[in-house]
Amino acid sequence: MLLHTIKEVREKRQEWKGLKVGLVPTMGALHAGHLSLIKKAKETCDKVIVSVFVNPIQFGPAEDFDKYPRTLEKDYELCTKEGVDIVFAPSPNEMYGAGQKLSNDTLTYVCPPFFYVNKLCGKTRTGHFDGVCTVVLKLFNIAQPDFAFFGQKDAQQAVIIKKMVKDLNVPVEVIQCPIVREESGLALSSRNKYLTEEGRKEALVLSKILNNIKSCYKKGITDIDALKETAYGFLNEKHDLEYLEILNKNTLEEQEKADDDSIALIACRVENVRLIDNMYLGG
Ligand code: AMP
């Protein structure tokens, strides 16, 4: 069932008293990565809600909010095939109120701690994680799920959401699901749609760098700078590297040496499309 209003979702949730409800928050343009979250939710829960909402307050002024792919009809079809109970696709007015100025002058925001935000994607995407936490907490309050499903693809986001849930005593269990990749190694992303055929090939640089770091770690290299330096052999003028970091996967803290709790994270522009990827070094 496709619902657009908070009231309708609340009413359905009331009917589902006593059942295990799962929420999969998305921005739509669903691909196999999203579907893996939905499948996990179906396995874990009695009822599954997928939200499809391109959240204006998590995009910076120079980012791709307007051109972000919107494919609700197809998304709804895919969700129906997966047995999703509710696709919740609100408008920005429904979520934030008609006429509401979307700024932290006038709107209550959830602001995750600076330590988690002032690195990786948060460094260049000012306010992004405030927007993410705000909308996710709103979705939690609207859908009141028992479980919520997030992808490791957005590793910093998953850590920050878990921290928000812990710090604010939100009664939701966060389940993190592994990254789904194309056979080529390219992590699935709605933004891959912006790439040309040539760009998709160039975009393999992210997973190649991460795989190489992992195999160097497995061979015994634990010096973080040495591991990061192995990336340079893969980069050329078609790749605009934004960051490459190796951190603790749970806390995003810097480490003296890489270990089995390390995660390598990369952001790189290809054809001016900002792509992110990451890989656990242990396991
Ligand atoms: P988005 O629609 O980009 O906001 O993503 C919605 C959810 O799907 C987030 O929790 C993402 O981490 C997750 N996701 C996106 N791409 C992938 C992928 N390739 N594999 C697994 N999860 C993903």
Side-chain angles (χ1 to χ4, degrees):
M1 149 187 353
L2 178 62
L3 300 180
H4 297 287
T5 69
I6 294 165
K7 187 167 174 278
E8 289 167 303
V9 175
R10 283 253 166 84
E11 281 169 5
K12 270 282 148 208
R13 183 65 185 88
Q14 283 292 316
E15 285 175 24
W16 293 344
K17 247 193 185 131
L19 297 179
K20 266 197 236 167
V21 177
L23 173 70
V24 183
T26 81
M27 297 203 299
L30 301 184
H31 50 63
H34 298 111
L35 297 185
S36 73
L37 270 53
I38 293 171
K39 287 190 169 94
K40 181 75 184 164
K42 285 288 294 175
E43 273 168 38
T44 317
C45 303
D46 302 311
K47 297 285 180 188
V48 173
I49 303 176
V50 174
S51 60
V52 174
F53 181 59
V54 186
N55 175 33
I57 69 167
Q58 72 186 65
F59 287 77
E63 292 183 0
D64 57 344
F65 175 70
D66 287 327
K67 76 164 188 173
Y68 197 85
R70 287 162 172 88
T71 59
L72 183 58
E73 223 172 281
K74 191 164 162 250
D75 294 344
Y76 180 58
E77 218 175 273
L78 286 170
C79 286
T80 307
K81 266 194 205 142
E82 294 297 332
V84 168
D85 298 278
I86 292 178
V87 175
F88 175 46
S91 66
N93 280 348
E94 177 67 13
M95 282 300 273
Y96 294 111
Q100 168 69 56
K101 202 171 141 231
L102 300 181
S103 100
N104 56 8
D105 271 351
T106 53
L107 189 69
T108 304
Y109 272 65
V110 180
C111 301
F114 192 66
F115 177 80
Y116 292 81
V117 166
N118 185 35
K119 58 183 66 178
L120 306 169
C121 296
K123 252 192 170 162
T124 46
R125 302 192 73 188
T126 312
H128 170 69
F129 290 110
D130 298 2
V132 168
C133 283
T134 303
V135 79
V136 168
L137 190 62
K138 282 167 74 70
L139 290 166
F140 285 177
N141 285 332
I142 292 164
Q144 295 169 38
D146 303 288
F147 297 88
F149 299 82
F150 292 88
Q152 187 204 316
K153 167 76 171 30
D154 297 276
Q156 186 179 14
Q157 168 176 286
V159 169
I160 287 174
I161 300 280
K162 285 184 210 158
K163 175 78 177 143
M164 173 185 79
V165 161
K166 180 165 178 271
D167 288 352
L168 301 183
N169 307 98
V170 184
V172 174
E173 189 172 327
V174 172
I175 305 215
Q176 187 175 307
C177 305
I179 300 177
V180 176
R181 300 176 180 281
E182 289 182 356
E183 222 172 285
S184 64
L186 181 65
L188 297 186
S189 162
S190 306
R191 289 192 169 96
N192 292 349
K193 290 200 166 113
Y194 302 147
L195 295 167
T196 64
E197 208 44 52
E198 165 73 14
R200 290 176 82 86
K201 283 185 199 141
E202 294 299 337
L204 295 179
V205 73
L206 285 88
S207 56
K208 281 183 186 161
I209 286 173
L210 295 173
N211 273 316
N212 188 56
I213 288 177
K214 183 166 181 159
S215 74
C216 289
Y217 170 71
K218 293 285 182 203
K219 281 180 199 146
I221 303 176
T222 56
D223 183 89
I224 304 256
D225 287 334
L227 286 170
K228 282 170 32 173
E229 272 162 27
T230 64
Y232 292 106
F234 293 87
L235 292 164
N236 64 39
E237 70 291 344
K238 293 188 177 145
H239 315 127
D240 182 7
L241 182 67
E242 184 181 300
Y243 65 71
L244 173 62
E245 301 288 352
I246 297 171
L247 302 171
N248 177 285
K249 67 178 180 186
N250 302 310
T251 62
L252 303 182
E253 284 170 315
E254 287 186 11
Q255 302 174 296
E256 299 239 316
K257 296 268 176 213
D259 61 28
D260 281 357
D261 283 331
S262 297
I263 180 173
L265 309 104
I266 187 168
C268 183
R269 280 180 188 275
V270 174
E271 297 181 329
N272 213 23
V273 180
R274 188 174 177 283
L275 302 169
I276 59 171
D277 198 352
N278 66 77
M279 203 168 278
Y280 290 155
L281 301 193

